[in-house]
């Protein structure tokens, strides 16, 4: 419970900071003590307290469920496999499935690792990745995503080829991929990263984490 409260408090501070950063400072201020309207307040992130509280609680559930995967061998035992190499700012992806049937906060389909020679397995857990299968809304984001759009920016990848040995070469057509015995995905479901194990200076839901470079 204390951990959840701390996480909620952190999100609350981050939310206020985001609003402050998004609100331009007016050139003119009221000279008297009269309360004046501040139109810039309307430019803040559209985030309710309930959404903030729920997101913090959900991410705490994700941390508790993935704590065992700080040991990469535990992830491999549960079926996660390394796909592709070490990508700057995104680390190493250990993937359970590229096409999940649904959303489960406690069972992320992707685990994000960073190399760490100090650990026995050679990697430390940095974050998790989730997919969301939904149509694209008018704002270019998925409809009804599990995380508030004011916090999480979802993206998709196209023309993904995963070869039998789990290499992830770029630039292959569907025919070229299949000729090599690979699995081709024309367009992935919506994807978001959540850096719940290694702080990200650009935001917990940012696609890339500069701290991994």
């Amino acid at each position: 419970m204390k951990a959840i409260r701390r996480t909620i408090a952190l999100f609350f501070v981050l939310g206020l900071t985001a609003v402050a950063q998004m609100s331009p400072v007016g050139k003119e201020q009221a000279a008297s003590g009269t309360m004046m309207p501040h139109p810039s307040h309307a430019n803040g992130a559209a985030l309710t307290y309930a959404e903030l509280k729920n997101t913090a609680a959900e991410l705490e559930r994700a941390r508790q469920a993935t704590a065992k995967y700080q040991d990469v061998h535990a992830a491999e035992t549960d079926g996660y496999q390394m796909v592709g190499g070490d990508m700057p700012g995104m680390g190493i992806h250990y993937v359970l499935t590229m096409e999940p049937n649904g959303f489960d906060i406690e069972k992320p389909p992707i685990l994000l690792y960073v190399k760490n020679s100090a650990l026995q397995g050679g990697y430390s857990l940095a974050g998790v990745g989730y997919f969301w299968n939904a149509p694209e809304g008018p704002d270019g984001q998925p409809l009804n995503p599990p995380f508030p759009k004011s916090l999480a920016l979802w993206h998709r990848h196209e023309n993904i080829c995963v070869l039998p040995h789990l290499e992830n070469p770029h630039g292959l057509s569907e025919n070229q991929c299949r000729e090599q015995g690979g699995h081709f995905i024309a367009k992935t479901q919506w994807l978001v990263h959540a850096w719940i194990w290694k702080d990200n200076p650009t935001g917990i839901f940012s696609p890339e984490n500069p701290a991994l470079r």
Side-chain angles (χ1 to χ4, degrees):
M1 184 60 70
K2 290 183 178 179
I4 293 177
R5 289 176 179 171
R6 286 197 299 269
T7 308
I8 291 173
L10 175 60
F11 264 79
F12 186 68
V13 172
L14 291 177
L16 291 178
T17 302
V19 171
Q21 291 175 342
M22 294 178 66
S23 301
V25 178
K27 294 183 179 180
E28 297 180 2
Q29 298 290 336
S32 68
T34 305
M35 293 294 291
M36 299 295 290
H38 295 274
S40 62
H41 286 181
N43 296 328
L47 181 69
T48 67
Y49 175 73
E51 289 176 323
L52 189 67
K53 182 179 179 181
N54 181 67
T55 302
E58 288 291 276
L59 292 179
E60 182 60 30
R61 285 178 58 201
R63 275 179 59 90
Q64 293 177 7
T66 58
K68 60 183 178 180
Y69 297 137
Q70 294 183 72
D71 181 351
V72 70
H73 298 308
E76 293 171 337
T77 298
D78 282 357
Y80 288 89
Q81 296 177 291
M82 184 190 296
V83 174
D86 188 357
M87 292 181 285
M90 292 189 182
I92 301 114
H93 288 56
Y94 270 74
V95 179
L96 186 62
T97 175
M98 290 288 290
E99 299 170 302
N101 294 324
F103 180 87
D104 186 345
I105 191 69
E106 296 184 351
K107 194 174 183 179
I110 298 176
L111 299 175
L112 304 167
Y113 286 90
V114 59
K115 290 182 179 179
N116 188 342
S117 58
L119 297 181
Q120 183 175 359
Y123 301 98
S124 60
L125 185 59
V128 295
Y130 293 100
F131 287 108
W132 181 246
N133 191 14
E136 181 176 329
D139 59 355
Q141 287 287 288
L143 294 176
N144 304 315
F147 299 123
K149 294 181 182 180
S150 51
L151 289 176
L153 184 64
W154 297 75
H155 63 280
R156 289 189 284 192
H157 296 285
E158 297 182 349
N159 302 325
I160 300 297
C161 178
V162 180
L163 297 180
H165 295 291
L166 302 182
E167 297 95 340
N168 178 215
H170 297 283
L172 295 184
S173 67
E174 182 174 2
N175 288 336
Q176 292 172 327
C177 179
R178 297 190 186 283
E179 286 174 358
Q180 298 185 43
H183 176 59
F184 186 83
I185 301 175
K187 181 178 288 188
T188 67
Q189 297 181 19
W190 295 96
L191 172 65
V192 70
H193 293 158
W195 303 99
I196 59 176
W197 287 106
K198 186 173 182 63
D199 287 340
N200 185 343
T202 60
I204 191 169
F205 288 113
S206 178
E208 296 185 11
N209 188 341
L212 270 63
R213 294 176 179 172

